[in-house]
Amino acid sequence: MKKIFNALSMANKQIAELDTQLLKRRLRITESPCDTETIVDQRKLNAFCSNDYLGLANHPELIQALAEGANLYGVGSGASHLISGHNIAHDLLEKKLASFQSKHIPNAGALFFSTGYLANLTAITGLIKLAKPGEASIYSANLNHASIIDGVRLASIQSKTSVTLFDHQQLESLVEALKKDTKPLKLIITDGVFSMDGDITPIKALTEIAEQYDALLLVDDAHGFGVLGELGHGILEQFDITSERIVYVGTLGKAAGVSGAFVCAQAPFIDWLIQKGRPYIYSTATPPAIAHALLQSLAIIESEEGKSRRRQLNQLITHWQNEMYFSDWKKVDSCTPIQPVILGSNANALAAAKLLDDMGYWIPAIRPPTVPAGSARLRITFSANHSIKDLQELIQALQKIEQQVQVGKLS
Ligand SMILES: *Cc1c(COP(=O)(O)O)cnc(C)c1O
């Protein structure tokens, strides 16, 4: 007789349950480069959903740089960085990334990672190991990205670190907790731009708090790098912040248009992560060709072209804030290219995403656990490759769809 296969029946049951709660996720397949027009499941859609804010993911100069990198260095790195995978392209990239933050972080060094998820996991667990087990505390903003949450969980298991969550819009409780904290190592962690709301963290106040209470401040600027600041160097440039205590995490698969991430901090912290950062140490190095392409991306970000792409992005944001009105749905007060529309229920968010799809738009519904329960939303993002006309048409479509979903609710 065939043995009952428990795991498989559990999987079927759990997935069916997600489906009834309207929480089952599905992959959609694109057949074209990431751009404002994308072929999805064999249909051409207007995409307002990528994090390719500067429109660099399909930029001819970056395509050429990636090909050039492959010609120079082949396609694979062959090993982890500490074995034999650390290439001159990685080294040049790290130096350039450090130079982007050198006005804001004295004696800055940088370490390149294959993903932002790994960068956060490595930075958080690694920095906490500077203290003996049980002798560090973490303060993490409660809307931080999942990769931060997982890094904090891992640090708390590995190093018995105490963890306190805080509301980034209400810093009093953070200050109260820090006042009582006698641990030798304290780490405050925040997203720079909150990824599902688009608002910017109070970086100035947090830096002052870190200085006053002798804490490190890790800022994950995944959505600010390339976008914020005159030169696109990110949140520290935009708010003119300088501090020895900042550990800056940036990602390179969003505005930079390629792939990867980095941690930038004072050189001894970077050196420490090379010694003790397990996810870094035990991963194969990213192909050097990617690092080579990223050098070109950084050059564009700082150039006149980069500035003009950021100007276009800001024009789109202003237009949206001035022209988009809903009767029931809620816009969020955001000055970044992330402009969510809060619908509340999963059913409404899915219905709206479906109607948008019928009209030729790709804007997915974002549901729990990515966002808090009851705050399902459309996460609309702009790219510098969108025109004002693209946006005007989107605004009209959204206004029409809001009415349709409202009517749907009554029947
Ligand atoms: C996307 C994102 C990450 C993860 O970066 P990847 O390079 O995609 O792994 C980390 N933090 C935040 C805030 C993000 O939005």
Side-chain angles (χ1 to χ4, degrees):
M1 205 171 83
K2 197 163 180 270
K3 258 216 296 212
I4 296 170
F5 188 5
N6 261 335
L8 187 60
S9 68
M10 285 162 142
N12 285 329
K13 187 161 159 271
Q14 297 275 14
I15 290 167
E17 205 161 299
L18 286 175
D19 210 5
T20 38
Q21 293 166 344
L22 302 178
L23 289 176
K24 184 173 172 197
R25 292 144 185 259
R26 288 177 175 80
L27 292 168
R28 299 189 66 180
I29 297 173
T30 68
E31 291 162 54
S32 59
C34 168
D35 215 324
T36 51
E37 271 192 354
T38 305
I39 310 288
V40 192
D41 297 330
Q42 294 161 357
R43 292 164 58 225
K44 196 195 295 180
L45 295 182
N46 295 307
F48 278 89
C49 54
S50 86
N51 302 311
D52 178 27
Y53 304 121
L54 296 180
L56 298 183
N58 191 30
H59 193 293
E61 285 174 24
L62 295 193
I63 295 168
Q64 199 190 335
L66 185 59
E68 188 181 278
N71 279 324
L72 283 168
Y73 308 117
V75 290
S77 70
S80 65
H81 286 277
L82 283 170
I83 302 294
S84 62
H86 195 63
N87 181 274
I88 178 97
H90 298 127
D91 187 60
L92 290 171
L93 177 65
E94 287 174 343
K95 292 196 166 98
K96 187 74 192 166
L97 289 166
S99 81
F100 268 35
Q101 306 305 324
S102 61
K103 267 177 73 184
H104 311 288
I105 302 173
N107 188 25
L111 197 60
F112 175 55
F113 289 83
S114 54
T115 72
Y117 190 101
L118 273 188
N120 277 327
L121 218 55
T122 307
I124 297 168
T125 57
L127 290 169
I128 288 303
K129 283 187 207 151
L130 287 165
K132 294 200 190 89
E135 296 204 340
S137 31
I138 288 178
Y139 298 85
S140 182
N142 49 26
L143 293 179
N144 277 344
H145 188 259
S147 57
I148 294 178
I149 297 173
D150 291 356
V152 169
R153 285 178 180 157
L154 192 55
S156 115
I157 294 165
Q158 286 181 345
S159 304
K160 302 190 175 64
T161 311
S162 71
V163 178
T164 307
L165 298 182
F166 68 91
D167 177 349
H168 70 275
Q169 291 169 328
Q170 283 238 293
L171 299 177
E172 292 84 358
S173 66
L174 170 65
V175 170
E176 287 312 310
L178 280 163
K179 271 184 192 161
K180 295 185 208 120
D181 189 339
T182 57
K183 300 255 169 61
L185 181 68
K186 306 175 192 86
L187 175 62
I188 304 169
I189 310 176
T190 184
D191 275 13
V193 175
F194 285 88
S195 51
M196 293 300 140
D197 291 281
D199 62 323
I200 300 178
T201 204
I203 185 71
K204 216 170 165 62
L206 285 170
T207 306
E208 281 161 14
I209 291 169
E211 297 280 349
Q212 185 166 1
Y213 296 98
D214 190 21
L216 286 174
L217 174 61
L218 187 153
V219 187
D220 174 354
D221 204 23
H223 300 277
F225 183 78
V227 171
L228 299 178
E230 170 74 14
L231 297 170
H233 293 177
I235 190 170
L236 303 179
E237 185 199 359
Q238 171 106 0
F239 294 94
D240 195 18
I241 304 285
T242 301
S243 171
E244 297 184 328
R245 291 160 189 283
I246 290 180
V247 177
Y248 181 91
V249 176
T251 68
L252 301 166
K254 289 172 179 158
V258 187
S259 174
F262 64 98
V263 176
C264 181
Q266 287 208 67
F269 294 128
I270 297 302
D271 210 6
W272 176 251
L273 294 181
I274 295 170
Q275 314 308 313
K276 296 289 175 184
R278 289 172 62 87
Y280 175 80
I281 295 168
Y282 297 105
S283 291
T284 297
T286 306
I290 298 280
H292 188 77
L294 278 165
L295 280 164
Q296 185 59 32
S297 165
L298 298 187
I300 294 175
I301 285 173
E302 281 194 312
S303 71
E304 283 308 314
E305 178 183 349
K307 285 182 198 169
S308 114
R309 286 176 178 270
R310 280 185 291 281
R311 259 197 309 279
Q312 173 64 12
L313 212 41
N314 285 323
Q315 276 165 12
L316 293 162
I317 294 163
T318 306
H319 187 86
W320 169 268
Q321 286 295 345
N322 291 341
E323 306 295 328
M324 183 75 247
Y325 291 98
F326 292 110
S327 52
D328 188 37
W329 298 352
K330 287 191 184 60
K331 255 187 342 188
V332 168
D333 192 15
S334 155
C335 61
T336 69
I338 303 171
Q339 296 289 343
V341 178
I342 315 285
L343 279 75
S345 76
N346 298 340
N348 278 355
L350 284 175
K354 173 72 176 66
L355 289 168
L356 280 165
D357 181 277
D358 293 343
M359 292 176 81
Y361 285 99
W362 192 8
I363 302 176
I366 308 280
R367 292 159 284 165
T370 309
V371 294
S375 74
R377 65 195 65 190
L378 299 170
R379 180 178 181 271
I380 294 166
T381 53
F382 303 145
S383 155
N385 284 351
H386 286 123
S387 66
I388 293 287
K389 181 164 164 287
D390 293 335
L391 183 53
Q392 282 165 339
E393 286 167 6
L394 172 69
I395 288 174
Q396 281 172 12
L398 283 165
Q399 276 161 347
K400 199 160 148 198
I401 281 166
E402 185 186 22
Q403 286 172 4
Q404 284 175 302
V405 172
Q406 296 310 106
V407 172
K409 258 200 308 203
L410 295 177
S411 60

